[in-house]
Amino acid sequence: MKNLLQQHCENRTGSPMTAADIQAHLSRLAGWRLAGDAIEKTFRFGNFHETMAFVNAVAWIAHGEDHHPDLQIGYDRCTVRFNTHSVGGISINDFICAAKTDALLPVAH
């Protein structure tokens, strides 16, 4: 499998990834889990300012990749949820963006 950080999202159509492909890709990303037809991870921070800095950085990645997550934001946490609406489930784009989101932080949260 290619390094996810070196890839970029592309317009996707067709079918979502198979369960086996999803599990194989999840094994490459610490803390991400399958949540229905999406992948998600909760990141924790020391305060609201750190949380919002992270949210803004995720927004910058999403803008650059043209692939946008659902975000649930609290004072000291943010849950990031990716899926690909155009395929009705999970695509490689979700894993590319998940890897780029993880790369924002020096250690896994």
Side-chain angles (χ1 to χ4, degrees), residues 53-98:
F54 173 78
V55 166
N56 286 321
V58 171
W60 185 254
I61 289 169
H63 175 72
E65 294 296 332
D66 195 24
H67 192 69
H68 305 91
D70 290 327
L71 303 173
Q72 183 179 12
I73 304 163
Y75 172 81
D76 61 352
R77 69 199 168 285
C78 177
T79 299
V80 181
R81 181 179 174 98
F82 285 106
N83 74 341
T84 305
H85 300 287
S86 62
V87 302
I90 299 169
S91 78
I92 190 66
N93 288 352
D94 303 310
F95 291 100
I96 291 168
C97 287

Side-chain angles (χ1 to χ4, degrees), residues 1-55:
M1 283 190 251
K2 291 182 182 177
N3 182 332
L4 293 168
L5 290 174
Q6 295 172 343
Q7 296 181 58
H8 294 283
C9 294
E10 299 175 2
N11 289 332
R12 301 283 174 192
T13 58
S15 300
M17 294 175 89
T18 66
D21 284 340
I22 291 167
Q23 289 305 317
H25 279 80
L26 279 173
S27 71
R28 300 170 64 192
L29 298 171
W32 289 87
R33 67 179 191 90
L34 184 61
D37 65 348
I39 59 170
E40 71 177 20
K41 180 176 180 178
T42 299
F43 296 84
R44 300 213 173 264
F45 302 95
N47 57 54
F48 185 71
H49 300 289
E50 290 176 7
T51 303
M52 292 311 296
F54 173 78
V55 166

